């Protein structure tokens, strides 16, 4: 099969013929129809998260959807020809976290594109398939499915589960990349008012088109002060989609008393992945600080229903479709922070 292979960190992926993936009794082989290119792919490509992948050469790509091509003998719930989306946090289906509906926190978690070869290829093998695939409703196409593949589903989990955003509440989101834009659409759909913060006017324009009621360029203005003014006291929920020191602190400082901060952006490994927190503000204002990783299998049904009924439109985040050969260009754009919206591989 054809694949875009990571042979050396921070060097162009090599698009070439490689051996087809092997089917296991509990797995399936998926023929890819769409794979999103995520900033996490870019971080890994740069060599930042070396320990997360087994060895080189390796195939990245974790925002995957497609059609099942082959089914292992032990798989009960899926058939050849099924249209599916692949959650990027995958569980064993048997540990206490999986059994209590938190498959994104599985004790034996695996992640396609890191733990094993991912979706920058014509085919991918998905292990333990009965627990790690979601059937796509007929009305949801592959482009939308892959646009949901990681950033959108994580934002859904962050907004609805971790942040518990309610109608009429103010939500501030720091970063208007894939996660931030998804937060804007999802929080707006459930009736919240969203303020988007970024340093790029172009990204903030796109944020407005997706439903942000106000935008702040925090290169020119102090986001916490402006947010406190607009919201008359601070946001109910603030989400840091970036994972850098400045945005995380500004996010916490934008909250009203009893506000909820949701941390979606992971930070780089410098300083052991540690950032400083404004502890006294957190204590005095009884701020909640929550992490957010992917989304559990149990939450897919409600998200997909909203997509099927067009209350959510992840396809609106997609600004570019490319071939496997185009991934290198996308990584380059990401290095320059020049990409707006979401890019999806649709030609394999
Ligand atoms: Zn991702
Ligand atoms: Zn588990």
């Amino acid at each position: 099969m054809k694949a875009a292979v990571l042979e050396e960190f921070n060097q162009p992926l090599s698009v070439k013929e490689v051996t087809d993936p092997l089917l296991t009794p509990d797995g399936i082989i998926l023929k890819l129809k769409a794979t999103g290119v995520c900033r996490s792919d870019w971080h890994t490509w740069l060599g930042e998260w070396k320990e997360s992948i087994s060895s080189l050469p390796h195939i990245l790509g974790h925002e995957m959807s497609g059609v099942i091509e082959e089914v292992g003998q032990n798989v009960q719930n899926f058939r050849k020809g099924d249209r599916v989306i692949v959650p990027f946090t995958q569980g064993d289906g048997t540990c206490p976290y999986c059994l209590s509906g938190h498959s994104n926190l599985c004790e034996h978690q695996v992640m396609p594109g890191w733990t094993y070869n991912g979706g920058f290829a014509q085919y991918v093998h998905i292990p333990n398939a009965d627990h790690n695939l979601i059937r796509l409703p007929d009305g949801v196409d592959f482009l939308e499915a892959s646009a949901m593949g990681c950033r959108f589903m994580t934002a859904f989990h962050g907004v609805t589960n971790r942040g518990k955003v309610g109608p009429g509440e103010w939500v501030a989101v720091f970063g208007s990349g894939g996660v931030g834009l998804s937060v804007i659409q999802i929080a707006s759909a459930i009736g919240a008012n969203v303020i988007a913060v970024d340093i790029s006017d172009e990204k903030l324009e796109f944020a407005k088109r997706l439903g942000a009621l106000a935008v702040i360029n925090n290169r020119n203005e102090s986001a916490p002060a402006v947010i406190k003014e607009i919201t008359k006291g601070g946001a109910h929920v603030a989400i840091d989609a970036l994972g850098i020191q400045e945005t995380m602190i500004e996010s916490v400082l934008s909250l009203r008393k009893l506000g909820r901060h949701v941390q979606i952006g992971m930070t780089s490994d410098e300083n052991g992945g540690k950032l400083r927190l404004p502890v006294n503000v957190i204590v005095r204002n009884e701020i909640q600080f929550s992490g957010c990783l992917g989304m559990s299998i149990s939450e897919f049904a409600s998200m997909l229903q909203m997509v099927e009924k067009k209350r959510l439109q992840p396809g609106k985040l997609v600004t570019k479709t490319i071939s496997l050969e185009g991934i290198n260009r996308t990584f380059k754009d990401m290095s320059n922070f020049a990409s707006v919206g979401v890019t999806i591989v649709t030609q394999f």
Side-chain angles (χ1 to χ4, degrees):
M1 68 170 181
K2 198 169 143 193
V5 183
L6 172 64
E7 292 177 331
E8 221 179 307
F9 293 112
N10 207 2
Q11 294 298 317
L13 303 180
S14 160
V15 178
K16 59 183 202 179
E17 283 296 317
V18 298
T19 321
D20 286 347
L22 282 178
L23 182 66
T24 60
D26 296 316
I28 59 106
I29 302 289
L30 186 70
K31 182 177 170 50
L32 288 149
K33 291 290 188 181
T35 304
V37 185
C38 180
R39 190 159 282 279
S40 308
D41 294 311
W42 174 84
H43 279 290
T44 314
W45 168 75
L46 276 183
E48 283 183 9
W49 299 338
K50 286 197 179 78
E51 75 292 344
S52 64
I53 58 176
S54 44
S55 61
L56 296 183
H58 180 76
I59 302 172
L60 296 167
H62 56 279
E63 302 189 344
M64 303 186 282
S65 64
V67 177
I68 294 181
E69 180 84 6
E70 282 183 76
V71 181
Q73 63 197 38
N74 298 342
V75 175
Q76 303 286 324
N77 301 332
F78 295 94
R79 299 281 169 269
K80 180 180 164 71
D82 283 351
R83 303 164 71 251
V84 295
I85 180 169
V86 185
F88 80 98
T89 47
Q90 303 191 336
D92 54 14
T94 56
C95 80
Y97 293 99
C98 286
L99 290 174
S100 59
H102 304 284
S103 61
N104 57 321
L105 302 176
C106 178
E107 283 180 346
H108 305 104
Q109 185 182 75
V110 294
M111 292 193 190
W114 286 288
T115 325
Y116 61 87
N117 278 337
F120 290 161
Q122 289 177 312
Y123 297 94
V124 65
H125 173 257
I126 306 296
N128 197 16
D130 275 334
H131 295 289
N132 291 302
L133 292 175
I134 304 283
R135 207 170 268 107
L136 272 182
D138 288 342
V140 180
D141 65 28
F142 292 113
L143 196 72
E144 280 191 305
S146 281
M148 268 182 270
C150 153
R151 293 162 281 188
F152 197 87
M153 69 170 82
T154 303
F156 190 87
H157 179 63
V159 168
T160 63
N161 182 301
R162 309 303 292 151
K164 298 204 170 12
V165 172
E169 287 195 317
W170 284 100
V171 175
V173 59
F174 287 76
S176 288
V179 170
L181 296 171
S182 304
V183 165
I184 293 166
Q185 202 188 74
I186 295 159
S188 302
I190 58 179
N193 309 310
V194 185
I195 302 171
V197 184
D198 203 285
I199 53 169
S200 151
D201 286 332
E202 200 187 354
K203 289 183 185 178
L204 290 171
E205 268 311 306
F206 197 49
K208 266 195 216 164
R209 291 213 298 276
L210 283 172
L213 290 190
V215 297
I216 299 168
N217 186 324
N218 63 341
R219 190 166 265 171
N220 314 324
E221 295 181 285
S222 155
V226 179
I227 290 167
K228 287 202 160 156
E229 200 182 305
I230 295 173
T231 58
K232 299 187 172 47
H236 299 84
V237 176
I239 297 180
D240 177 21
L242 287 173
I244 57 179
Q245 183 68 69
E246 293 79 5
T247 54
M248 191 192 70
I249 287 194
E250 287 197 342
S251 170
V252 171
L253 296 181
S254 302
L255 289 166
R256 65 180 59 204
K257 292 182 179 181
L258 298 171
R260 290 100 74 194
H261 168 95
V262 180
Q263 187 64 38
I264 295 185
M266 299 257 289
T267 196
S268 63
D269 283 338
E270 286 167 45
N271 308 319
K274 289 177 189 161
L275 299 176
R276 285 173 294 116
L277 274 175
V279 172
N280 293 351
V281 171
I282 290 177
V283 172
R284 282 194 202 114
N285 293 342
E286 296 201 343
I287 300 294
Q288 285 179 33
F289 190 99
S290 306
C292 173
L293 176 73
M295 187 176 85
S296 73
I297 294 271
S298 58
E299 292 163 83
F300 267 85
S302 44
M303 181 177 76
L304 284 173
Q305 277 193 15
M306 288 185 80
V307 175
E308 204 185 354
K309 300 287 181 268
K310 311 285 182 217
R311 291 181 203 282
L312 293 177
Q313 296 179 291
K316 282 201 170 168
L317 274 62
V318 179
T319 46
K320 214 184 268 179
T321 58
I322 58 168
S323 63
L324 285 176
E325 285 80 3
I327 299 169
N328 286 320
R329 177 62 207 264
T330 305
F331 281 168
K332 216 169 166 185
D333 287 345
M334 285 180 165
S335 295
N336 299 325
F337 291 85
S339 47
V340 174
V342 168
T343 299
I344 309 257
V345 179
T346 51
Q347 293 160 280
F348 293 88

